[in-house]
Amino acid sequence: MLPLRILYQDEHLVAVHKPAGLLVHRSALARGETQFLLQQLRDQIGKRVYPVHRLDRPTSGVIVFALSSTVAGLLSEAFSERQVEKRYLAVVRGKAPDEARLDYPLREEDGSRPKAEMPAMPAMTDIRRLDSVELPVQVDRYPVARYSLMEARPLTGRRHQIRRHLSRRGYPIIGDAKHGKSVHNRFFADQLNAPRLLLAATHLAFDHPVLAKRVALTCALDDTMTALFHHLGWAGHLPLDSVRTPPLTPPSALQTL
């Protein structure tokens, strides 16, 4: 097993690149699984780690853990109160709009009750098309196949929000077995060597819960998505691992500006 790629670490928190296909931690849905990100990271750094947010199993990208229960509580609150900036990259079917705000309420999908019995919760995602491609192949009923590279910024945190919102708008993410279209998923798997959900968390920014600084993390894509971007002519959109930690401006300083 390869070591996890650590993007940032201090005495209070640690951020890593989560590989696609790896569960973050044990759950009722994880029967029979033996590999989990939380345990792997704990063993790698030799410290107990505390989850503060989630990434779906098939999604890759940046995820942050706290190194104490106190910091976990502070960070969890920041996530729940929408004080964290999140950006994702997704490859979708079709030529999506330049920009749009997807404002579709979503019912919870936690399995505790039938979905139809769950209340519809507000959910909002901003999307922006970064690039698109037209391939001279007939994948579906059309003689050409169009795909788009999308940046998604979820403004709420519902389960599978980006996947469900893009599918609802008519631009399902490639590799999404539940909300996508199997013929396109098979084309990417068989012809483009991309047999996975093409969704990656590439950016996370938040105020440090202890230190007086902003933490802005950007995460490079894994080998599968990197090779695909090169093949489709999207290499210019590839993010690189980076960390920015500008100091927070105290309120008193803002008043004097």
Side-chain angles (χ1 to χ4, degrees), residues 173-245:
I173 300 176
I174 301 301
D176 191 339
K178 185 172 183 180
H179 307 285
K181 197 164 185 181
S182 58
V183 65
H184 293 277
N185 296 347
R186 286 196 301 270
F187 171 70
F188 271 74
D190 297 341
Q191 304 299 322
L192 299 177
N193 298 312
R196 51 155 287 202
L197 178 73
L198 298 179
L199 176 65
T202 57
H203 182 79
L204 200 61
F206 53 90
D207 292 346
H208 197 288
V210 180
L211 307 178
K213 63 182 180 181
R214 181 82 171 167
V215 179
L217 308 171
T218 300
C219 181
L221 300 180
D222 60 15
D223 292 344
T224 296
M225 290 189 72
T226 297
L228 178 70
F229 276 38
H230 280 284
H231 181 78
L232 297 179
W234 295 345
H237 299 289
L238 284 168
L240 301 175
D241 285 348
S242 69
V243 177
R244 292 179 56 251
T245 56

Side-chain angles (χ1 to χ4, degrees), residues 31-255:
R31 295 184 181 90
E33 294 295 330
T34 59
Q35 301 294 330
F36 302 92
L37 178 65
L38 189 145
Q39 282 78 18
Q40 188 176 338
L41 179 58
R42 176 198 63 197
D43 294 344
Q44 182 171 325
I45 68 174
K47 295 180 180 180
R48 186 173 179 181
V49 295
Y50 300 78
V52 296
H53 66 123
R54 64 173 182 258
L55 284 179
D56 296 340
R57 179 178 183 170
T59 304
S60 64
V62 57
I63 186 169
V64 64
F65 293 88
L67 298 180
S68 71
S69 58
T70 300
V71 172
L74 294 171
L75 265 178
S76 295
E77 184 177 356
F79 274 90
S80 64
E81 295 187 0
R82 307 179 192 177
Q83 297 171 352
V84 177
E85 178 187 332
K86 296 178 281 187
R87 292 204 299 267
Y88 292 72
L89 290 180
V91 180
V92 306
R93 186 194 73 191
K95 187 169 183 179
D98 290 340
E99 291 187 49
R101 171 161 289 182
L102 309 184
D103 187 0
Y104 308 129
L106 297 173
R107 299 183 188 276
E108 186 56 90
E109 294 182 322
D110 62 1
S112 62
R113 284 190 288 165
K115 183 178 171 183
E117 296 179 7
M118 303 294 281
M121 306 293 289
M124 193 177 299
T125 306
D126 284 343
I127 60 170
R128 181 166 65 102
R129 178 166 51 84
L130 302 179
D131 217 327
S132 58
V133 67
E134 183 175 286
L135 303 180
V137 293
Q138 183 168 355
V139 177
D140 206 337
R141 61 183 183 274
Y142 301 107
V144 297
R146 296 183 177 91
Y147 302 98
S148 297
L149 172 61
M150 304 301 294
E151 178 188 79
R153 299 185 182 217
L155 306 180
T156 52
R158 309 302 173 204
R159 187 181 297 270
H160 299 167
Q161 176 175 312
I162 297 173
R163 296 160 64 178
R164 295 164 72 186
H165 268 174
L166 282 166
S167 179
R168 171 84 173 268
R169 185 63 182 264
Y171 305 100
I173 300 176
I174 301 301
D176 191 339
K178 185 172 183 180
H179 307 285
K181 197 164 185 181
S182 58
V183 65
H184 293 277
N185 296 347
R186 286 196 301 270
F187 171 70
F188 271 74
D190 297 341
Q191 304 299 322
L192 299 177
N193 298 312
R196 51 155 287 202
L197 178 73
L198 298 179
L199 176 65
T202 57
H203 182 79
L204 200 61
F206 53 90
D207 292 346
H208 197 288
V210 180
L211 307 178
K213 63 182 180 181
R214 181 82 171 167
V215 179
L217 308 171
T218 300
C219 181
L221 300 180
D222 60 15
D223 292 344
T224 296
M225 290 189 72
T226 297
L228 178 70
F229 276 38
H230 280 284
H231 181 78
L232 297 179
W234 295 345
H237 299 289
L238 284 168
L240 301 175
D241 285 348
S242 69
V243 177
R244 292 179 56 251
T245 56
L248 295 177
T249 305
S252 57
L254 288 174
Q255 293 169 4

